[in-house]
Amino acid sequence: NEVLVMLVSGTVGFTASTRNNPIRMAYARATYDDMAGEWQWTAPTDITSAVYDLLPTAKSLFFTSGKICQSKTIKVGTHYRIYSGVCARTTSGGSTNYNFVMYSDDFGETWYVLGSSTTPCVSSADECKCEELPNGNVVLSTRVAKGRKWTIFTYTNQTTAEGSWSQTVSPSSSNGGIYDADDTNPCNGEILLVDAIRQSDQAEVKLALQTVATNRRNVTIWYKPLESESDYDTPANFAKSWEGKYQVSSSTSCYSTMIEQSENRIGFFFEENSYNSGYDMVYYRYQLETITGGKYVMNEVRNASMTAFAGNWYFSVLIIVLVLALIVYLFDHTRFGYDYKALQSGQKVAVNTGIREVPNAIWCYVICGALMGIVGFLNVARSSNINGGSLNFGSLGIMFTAFLP
C-alpha cells in the first residue's frame, strides 16, 4: 500500500500569486513498513515549475483541496491513474477563474493536463473536484453560486488520455438537481461515487454523493443513483434528478471532503464553527443508511436468502425461542448439563468423582461461539449488510466468562 499527499502552500494568496511568485506545490509519498509498524514518508518533492510549464497561459494556479480521485479501471504502468482539479487565472483572463484537470500515471511524480493545456474545461469557475464515472470517463464538479457546475471528459483512448471535455451545465431550478437560489457565497465540496444497494428492490447501483454549503452554512450531502449510462452520459443528465439530501451541520460550516473507508463507512471531514471560536475541523463516520434515510446501503458481503429469512420480526422471535429451548434442554436434561452444574457447585469435588473438566469447558466455548454466531446472523439479517473490523470483544469476554463452569 502507498499513500500520496499533494501539498499546496506559500506566503501569497491565489489572487496575488504569479508565475514568479507562485503558490508552491509539492508531493510526498509514504509506504507502510511492516517491520517498524509505521508509515515511512519521503521528503516533499517540489513540482511547482513542472506544473506551471504544463499551462503556458496560466499566471496563477493551485491544486484544489480534498480527495484526489484515483481510477478503478485505468492503469498505465505500475499505478492506477489519479486526477486532481486545478483552479487558475490566465495571463489574458483578468480576474476570471478557470478550471483544468491534471492526471498522473506514476502516483503524483509526473503530471499531465487532461484535455487542452490552453483551453480550460470550465470558464468563470472556482475550486473544483473530479470523480471517475462508471464508464471510466471523468466528471468535474465546480463551485459556483446556487449549486455546482458540471462537465464531463469523454475518452476516445484511455491509455493515451485522448478525449474531450463537454460543454458545462450550470445550476438550474427546473431539473431537480442541486440548486439553492439563496446561495450567493458558496465554497467547495466533495464528489464521491460508491457501490450501493437500493433497499426497496435490492438493486445494485452506483450512488453519487455531492456536498454543498449554502452561504457557508448548513453543510449538506446530496445523493443520486446512477442506474444506467443515461443518468451520467452528459453533464445535463448528471446534473438533474438528485434524489435527496442529508444535512450534516445546522450552523456556520464550509469546506468539506469525504472518502469511502475500509470498514464500509463514509469518512466525512469538514469545517464547522462549533464553539463560536472560528472553524473547527470536524470528522464524522457515516453509514450510507444514515445519509440516505435508509434507502441505500453499501454494497458489501450480502446474502439475500438470509435477509429474506430473518428480515421479518417473527422469524427472529422463532429463532430466539428455539435457541432458548435448546439451551434449557442442554443444561437441564443432558449429561453435559449435569456435569456443568456439578463443576459449578464444586470443581475439585466434581473432578475427583470422575467428571472431566476440560471437555466440559470446551463444549462451553463451542456453545458460546454458536450463540455469538446466531446473534451475528440476526444482526446481518436486520441490517442487510456485513461490516468487517468491528468485533465487540467486550461482549465476547462476558459470554465466555458466563459459560465457563
Side-chain angles (χ1 to χ4, degrees):
N1 292 330
E2 196 170 7
V3 174
L4 168 70
V5 174
M6 299 301 299
L7 309 167
V8 177
S9 181
T11 58
V12 61
F14 167 58
T15 58
S17 64
T18 64
R19 297 180 79 93
N20 295 324
N21 186 22
I23 297 174
R24 310 302 302 186
M25 290 162 283
Y27 73 89
R29 296 196 299 210
T31 54
Y32 191 76
D33 188 329
D34 290 319
M35 296 294 293
E38 62 183 22
W39 290 93
Q40 302 289 341
W41 285 91
T42 65
T45 300
D46 192 296
I47 57 170
T48 307
S49 297
V51 171
Y52 265 97
D53 289 344
L54 296 173
L55 298 175
T57 62
K59 69 175 182 180
S60 55
L61 61 86
F62 68 98
F63 279 81
T64 57
S65 63
K67 170 183 67 72
I68 292 177
C69 169
Q70 184 166 32
S71 173
K72 295 181 179 180
T73 59
I74 304 174
K75 186 177 183 181
V76 179
T78 58
H79 293 82
Y80 284 92
R81 181 167 294 168
I82 59 175
Y83 305 92
S84 182
V86 172
C87 187
R89 289 187 174 182
T90 64
T91 53
S92 60
S95 60
T96 301
N97 298 334
Y98 300 91
N99 286 156
F100 295 87
V101 172
M102 294 191 178
Y103 72 94
S104 172
D105 287 328
D106 56 10
F107 211 56
E109 182 176 347
T110 310
W111 291 86
Y112 306 93
V113 179
L114 189 66
S116 172
S117 61
T118 55
T119 303
C121 49
V122 181
S123 300
S124 300
D126 213 302
E127 295 155 304
C128 58
K129 299 289 183 75
C130 49
E131 177 64 297
E132 183 180 55
L133 293 170
N135 59 6
N137 293 334
V138 180
V139 60
L140 186 69
S141 170
T142 298
R143 156 193 166 183
V144 292
K146 301 181 181 180
R148 308 291 294 186
K149 263 186 179 180
W150 309 97
T151 186
I152 293 175
F153 184 84
T154 301
Y155 279 106
T156 56
N157 188 318
Q158 292 183 341
T159 303
T160 59
E162 295 175 83
S164 61
W165 289 98
S166 63
Q167 291 187 333
T168 58
V169 172
S170 298
S172 172
S173 61
S174 61
N175 64 0
I178 299 173
Y179 181 83
D180 192 328
D182 297 325
D183 185 15
T184 58
N185 186 23
C187 60
N188 208 14
E190 189 63 79
I191 183 171
L192 176 68
L193 265 65
V194 297
D195 293 316
I197 296 289
R198 185 167 49 214
Q199 291 282 59
S200 61
D201 59 2
Q202 299 298 298
E204 297 185 3
V205 298
K206 284 283 188 179
L207 196 70
L209 305 173
Q210 173 68 61
T211 62
V212 295
T214 301
N215 292 324
R216 307 198 170 218
R217 292 186 61 86
N218 306 335
V219 165
T220 298
I221 306 173
W222 288 74
Y223 60 90
K224 170 186 177 173
L226 307 179
E227 300 182 65
S228 66
E229 194 162 348
S230 62
D231 291 320
Y232 58 86
D233 57 347
T234 66
N237 285 337
F238 190 83
K240 69 180 183 181
S241 303
W242 285 69
E243 185 174 313
K245 58 185 177 180
Y246 174 78
Q247 186 171 320
V248 175
S249 170
S250 57
S251 65
T252 303
S253 46
C254 264
Y255 287 81
S256 59
T257 187
M258 56 187 165
I259 61 169
E260 182 180 354
Q261 298 185 162
S262 59
E263 76 282 15
N264 297 304
R265 297 291 191 274
I266 303 298
F268 193 73
F269 194 55
F270 71 108
E271 297 173 319
E272 183 179 54
N273 188 1
S274 305
Y275 303 102
N276 298 315
S277 58
Y279 285 117
D280 302 303
M281 303 308 298
V282 181
Y283 165 77
Y284 289 147
R285 179 172 167 265
Y286 282 122
Q287 289 184 313
L288 193 59
E289 299 96 305
T290 301
I291 296 172
T292 63
K295 295 179 181 178
Y296 298 89
V297 298
M298 300 293 282
N299 189 358
E300 310 164 60
V301 180
R302 302 170 56 84
N303 188 314
S305 60
M306 180 193 302
T307 304
F309 175 75
N312 295 314
W313 67 268
Y314 44 85
F315 284 131
S316 298
V317 171
L318 177 61
I319 292 173
I320 293 171
V321 169
L322 291 175
V323 168
L324 288 175
L326 179 61
I327 291 298
V328 170
Y329 173 75
L330 283 174
F331 285 92
D332 289 347
H333 301 285
T334 66
R335 174 64 183 270
F336 162 79
Y338 297 147
D339 290 350
Y340 176 85
K341 290 178 180 179
L343 287 165
Q344 272 192 325
S345 300
Q347 188 171 1
K348 187 174 182 180
V349 174
V351 171
N352 288 337
T353 60
I355 293 175
R356 295 190 299 169
E357 178 185 16
V358 173
N360 194 275
I362 291 174
W363 275 110
C364 286
Y365 281 122
V366 171
I367 294 170
C368 175
L371 290 175
M372 294 301 292
I374 292 170
V375 171
F377 172 87
L378 293 175
N379 181 64
V380 169
R382 177 184 60 80
S383 63
S384 75
N385 63 86
I386 299 172
N387 294 307
S390 57
L391 292 176
N392 188 340
F393 288 106
S395 297
L396 286 173
I398 293 171
M399 288 288 289
F400 283 130
T401 301
F403 268 94
L404 282 176

